[in-house]
Amino acid sequence: MKFFLTILFVFIFCTSYAQDVNRTIKAGNDAYKKGDYKNAASLYKTVLGKDSKNTTAKFNLGNSLYKQSDLASAEKYYDEVTSSTDASLKAKSFYNKGVAEAQQQKLPEAIESFKQALLLTPEDDDTRENLQKAINDLKKQQQQNQPKPQKNKQKQQPQQKNKMPNPEMMEQKFNELRDKEKQLQKMLQQKSNQGQPDKDW
């Protein structure tokens, strides 16, 4: 008989405990809906102080932190929920984690999170659109980080102009110019000798 009472007491205690946790989560949800994200986060943390494995409190805490622009902390809580057995909550966690990562410019991580969410909910168009946006943003980022060949060529040309030419090459060019000048002078002399008409007066 005593064994039954202990179990009954534990059951009553657990039920009371569960009601207290649910009441606190509901209060957090109400604060969240009113835009009081700081108070909501505090209430969800209270729940986690009593039940550190409560995935609903973790997910909602992540949302509250996200709304307060604490993206790194939000991402951490979403990540903890991704191991949930509830497929719907798991998909939402991957999705929200991807959004937080994308806003922190962690694009490869965001892409992976969106892919995981899409595996769980293949019909979710929002996830598909955000995945495509993250992929496009990553491509743009990679293109901006790659050196542009035209600019490099332009930079190299002035450097080449500033270089001192080889003295042997300078002498060779000078000799070539002198030879050309001599040839031009000979041609001009020949033309002047041939082209002078006899005076006609």
Side-chain angles (χ1 to χ4, degrees):
M1 192 73 149
K2 187 174 183 181
F3 183 71
F4 178 75
L5 289 175
T6 305
I7 292 174
L8 184 59
F9 177 75
V10 170
F11 178 74
I12 291 170
F13 175 76
C14 287
T15 303
S16 173
Y17 171 78
Q19 287 175 348
D20 184 43
V21 164
N22 289 338
R23 212 175 295 120
T24 307
I25 288 176
K26 185 184 178 319
N29 292 348
D30 291 341
Y32 184 91
K33 288 175 189 173
K34 291 177 185 173
D36 188 0
Y37 306 119
K38 193 171 186 177
N39 187 35
S42 176
L43 290 164
Y44 298 134
K45 285 178 183 177
T46 300
V47 170
L48 291 173
K50 295 175 184 177
D51 179 9
S52 63
K53 295 181 181 181
N54 190 307
T55 54
T56 302
K58 286 180 184 181
F59 181 79
N60 290 351
L61 176 56
N63 289 342
S64 298
L65 293 169
Y66 177 87
K67 289 290 190 175
Q68 295 177 68
S69 299
D70 187 354
L71 301 176
S73 296
E75 178 189 343
K76 177 187 146 232
Y77 283 103
Y78 294 138
D79 190 51
E80 289 181 23
V81 181
T82 59
S83 60
S84 171
T85 55
D86 179 351
S88 174
L89 186 61
K90 189 174 184 173
K92 289 176 185 176
S93 295
F94 273 119
Y95 175 84
N96 285 3
K97 182 181 174 206
V99 170
E101 289 166 336
Q103 290 197 355
Q104 295 175 79
Q105 294 302 306
K106 296 179 176 180
L107 297 174
E109 294 89 340
I111 290 168
E112 187 56 36
S113 294
F114 289 135
K115 283 181 181 178
Q116 292 298 320
L118 208 52
L119 287 173
L120 295 165
T121 54
E123 71 286 347
D124 190 341
D125 289 334
D126 288 338
T127 303
R128 187 172 286 104
E129 288 172 16
N130 279 316
L131 172 60
Q132 190 59 54
K133 183 178 180 342
I135 290 170
N136 292 341
D137 289 349
L138 181 62
K139 284 180 184 176
K140 285 179 190 174
Q141 190 180 72
Q142 289 171 341
Q143 287 173 351
Q144 289 173 352
N145 291 340
Q146 287 181 349
K148 294 182 180 169
Q150 291 177 343
K151 288 186 177 180
N152 286 345
K153 286 180 183 176
Q154 291 172 354
K155 288 179 183 177
Q156 288 173 357
Q157 287 174 353
Q159 289 175 352
Q160 290 172 354
K161 288 179 183 176
N162 293 337
K163 282 186 176 179
M164 289 295 292
N166 184 344
E168 292 173 8
M169 185 182 248
M170 281 178 54
E171 190 173 332
Q172 182 184 357
K173 292 286 183 188
F174 178 72
N175 289 336
E176 287 174 11
L177 285 172
R178 190 173 41 196
D179 290 341
K180 283 183 181 179
E181 185 180 349
K182 285 180 183 178
Q183 288 174 356
L184 282 172
Q185 284 178 356
K186 282 181 182 179
M187 286 173 56
L188 286 173
Q189 281 178 350
Q190 288 173 355
K191 280 186 180 181
S192 66
N193 289 340
Q194 293 173 355
Q196 282 185 352
D198 291 335
K199 291 188 183 173
D200 193 67
W201 64 90

